[in-house]
Amino acid sequence: MKVQRSTIFAVNAKSNLHHFHSSQAELESVSKLLDRKWGLQSPATPIHRISGIGKLSFLNNTRPRLGDEVSKKRSSFYILRDDLLHPLVNGNKARKLDALLPLLQDHKVTDLVTCGGCQSAHTAAVAVSCAERGVRSHLLLRGEQPEVLTGYSLVSTMYGNVEYVPRSKYANREEMLRTHADLVAGEDGSVLWVKDLEAMDGFSSSEAASSRKVLIVNEGAGDALALLGMFRLVKYLSEDHLLGKKSRVKFVVDAGTGTSAVGLGVAAMSLGLPWEINAVMLADTLQNYKRHEARLLEEFTRQFLPSIVCSSLDTIKWVERQRPRKFGKVLEGEVEMCRKIAQETGVLVDPMYTLAAWETATELVEDEESSIVVMLHTGGTLGMFGLAQRYKSFFTNSND
């Protein structure tokens, strides 16, 4: 497994070196940061322990011992079942929207514009969440409409307003989103990007009550605000009765845009936790992941934690998946492995995203003796419907 370390820099006038240590003032800043309204009622998530690594069968302990009795056995890893948070809005999508959703109502947002692939879990999560709050969602999906709508494309169509966009136009996402938002807003409405929502104190209070207030959310909710949900999760997991603050933890998360991995890494750094985030690169190059990481970190520290100092702290390891390939391609045997895992553990992973995290977690477990290995299940299970359309032979032969 090829590994690339990521070094995080956030410097101010009193820059110094952090080695898994945060001052009391910094911890208080984080606590204040988390004192806000949230979309999820609780940061809690079911935690299971998978054992049997390297043997013929997997076993799932749905009520493992945690706290002082957390296991460091080489034959097992923990899995955070964020895929169980909501029937349709789950995994890292629920975490990314955790801090954003209350702001929609606080700022009286009427419409939300975002984009994603044909089977985008992000756009489906946005559509459902907006509908639950009386906000109209406008979803720009890349490519052509499928002959049969299934999975996330079906959910997006049922809950939101979908428009399929040619790939050539989709390539310039910022211009595409802004142009569509302007059309939705009309002559009397206003448009704001998520990154400016809190900095500008939202929309102008002088606008007519009947005018549309349109918010633009980047693809995959790749905004600094999305990191707050990961902060909340990490703060919860670091409680003494769960993973604690002293145990060395090797986190594993599959990386689409990489936003979740950055959120986990910055949270662990800010809270002074000896945690390492292993982000499995799925959809982009190492250079682009690190560029996205640098942008998010700069935005986040500027907007939320300008007092946090971190110089030359290695928190995130960008790693290649066991069998690299062009994004969107499923390889022979992967559907069968997903089926084996589901039948033996009750955990459904998909060959596009979460199987990659599962494979990396099992690999780390076999090499690790001093750290706890924890996989974050990022959801995405409805994407299996779209894959079954594209890779019919892999699924029709799964019972042979």
Side-chain angles (χ1 to χ4, degrees):
M1 179 172 60
K2 186 177 179 181
V3 174
Q4 292 288 348
R5 272 202 177 272
S6 172
T7 303
I8 296 178
F9 296 93
V11 184
N12 69 8
K14 296 182 179 179
S15 178
N16 54 43
L17 198 63
H18 280 229
H19 293 283
F20 302 114
H21 172 75
S22 292
S23 70
Q24 186 62 33
E26 290 169 354
L27 294 178
E28 290 175 359
S29 296
V30 172
S31 296
K32 184 177 180 180
L33 176 69
L34 299 179
D35 184 17
R36 59 170 56 229
K37 296 177 184 178
W38 297 98
L40 294 170
Q41 290 186 350
S42 166
T45 187
I47 302 176
H48 296 174
R49 184 165 69 90
I50 305 298
S51 59
I53 311 302
K55 300 180 181 179
L56 295 177
S57 300
F58 295 110
L59 297 173
N60 184 7
N61 180 356
T62 59
R63 295 185 178 181
R65 294 178 177 180
L66 298 167
D68 293 337
E69 299 183 14
V70 68
S71 175
K72 295 182 181 177
K73 294 182 179 179
R74 293 182 63 180
S75 61
S76 68
F77 67 89
Y78 291 92
I79 181 169
L80 306 181
R81 298 298 308 276
D82 268 12
D83 56 314
L84 303 179
L85 291 177
H86 184 283
L88 300 173
V89 186
N90 55 42
N92 63 338
K93 305 302 178 286
R95 299 293 178 184
K96 289 178 179 181
L97 297 176
D98 201 6
L100 172 63
L101 294 177
L103 296 179
L104 300 183
Q105 294 169 305
D106 288 348
H107 295 289
K108 296 180 172 55
V109 173
T110 63
D111 298 80
L112 189 151
V113 175
T114 191
C115 64
C118 177
Q119 285 289 349
S120 168
H122 161 69
T123 59
V126 166
V128 174
S129 300
C130 284
E132 291 175 345
R133 291 160 177 80
V135 176
R136 292 179 290 264
S137 63
H138 306 267
L139 316 169
L140 305 178
L141 302 186
R142 181 182 64 249
E144 303 75 30
Q145 179 176 327
E147 183 177 346
V148 179
L149 294 177
T150 61
Y152 290 116
S153 63
L154 176 59
V155 172
S156 295
T157 301
M158 294 300 294
Y159 285 86
N161 301 288
V162 170
E163 180 176 320
Y164 288 87
V165 179
R167 287 172 171 78
S168 57
K169 181 179 177 181
Y170 193 94
N172 192 339
R173 291 163 179 75
E174 184 172 335
E175 179 181 343
M176 174 190 70
L177 288 168
R178 180 71 202 206
T179 300
H180 196 79
D182 287 338
L183 289 174
V184 172
E187 293 182 0
D188 300 327
S190 55
V191 175
L192 204 63
W193 294 80
V194 165
K195 64 182 180 180
D196 302 318
L197 193 59
E198 290 195 336
M200 297 178 62
D201 196 26
F203 295 92
S204 172
S205 58
S206 63
E207 294 171 359
S210 59
S211 64
R212 288 193 167 188
K213 299 178 179 179
V214 184
L215 184 67
I216 301 176
V217 177
N218 279 319
E219 183 180 42
D223 301 285
L225 187 68
L227 305 188
L228 291 179
M230 289 300 170
F231 257 78
R232 190 186 185 204
L233 173 62
V234 171
K235 183 74 162 55
Y236 163 74
L237 293 174
S238 67
E239 294 178 5
D240 292 339
H241 70 287
L242 296 174
L243 300 181
K245 300 176 180 61
K246 297 180 180 179
S247 296
R248 301 188 70 85
V249 175
K250 290 203 170 187
F251 242 88
V252 182
V253 60
D254 52 272
T257 63
T259 302
S260 298
V262 175
L264 292 169
V266 177
M269 174 270 291
S270 301
L271 293 168
L273 302 173
W275 295 9
E276 174 184 276
I277 313 303
N278 291 266
V280 189
M281 300 182 291
L282 303 181
D284 216 332
T285 63
L286 171 63
Q287 182 181 16
N288 285 337
Y289 275 118
K290 297 184 78 169
R291 185 181 295 116
H292 181 63
E293 171 197 321
R295 180 186 66 81
L296 281 177
L297 181 63
E298 189 278 327
E299 285 184 8
F300 187 83
T301 53
R302 173 170 46 82
Q303 292 182 37
F304 302 110
L305 289 176
S307 63
I308 288 292
V309 180
C310 177
S311 178
S312 189
L313 174 64
D314 292 334
T315 308
I316 304 174
K317 289 171 63 177
W318 297 101
V319 302
E320 292 185 357
R321 68 188 308 168
Q322 285 189 2
R323 291 197 287 172
R325 83 293 302 271
K326 182 179 180 181
F327 179 67
K329 185 173 179 58
V330 175
L331 302 183
E332 191 76 34
E334 291 183 330
V335 173
E336 287 78 3
M337 176 55 71
C338 291
R339 183 167 179 263
K340 170 182 171 65
I341 293 168
Q343 292 185 346
E344 295 180 358
T345 68
V347 179
L348 184 59
V349 296
D350 73 285
M352 192 75 72
Y353 291 96
T354 47
L355 177 62
W358 180 285
E359 291 173 338
T360 299
T362 59
E363 187 174 3
L364 286 173
V365 164
E366 293 176 343
D367 297 334
E368 197 51 58
E369 293 182 352
S370 60
S371 298
I372 304 164
V373 177
V374 179
M375 171 190 160
L376 175 63
H377 196 309
T378 57
T381 48
L382 284 182
M384 294 285 276
F385 290 85
L387 292 177
Q389 281 184 308
R390 294 171 53 198
Y391 296 94
K392 294 180 182 179
S393 62
F394 286 0
F395 288 84
T396 53
N397 296 331
S398 61
N399 288 321
D400 292 346

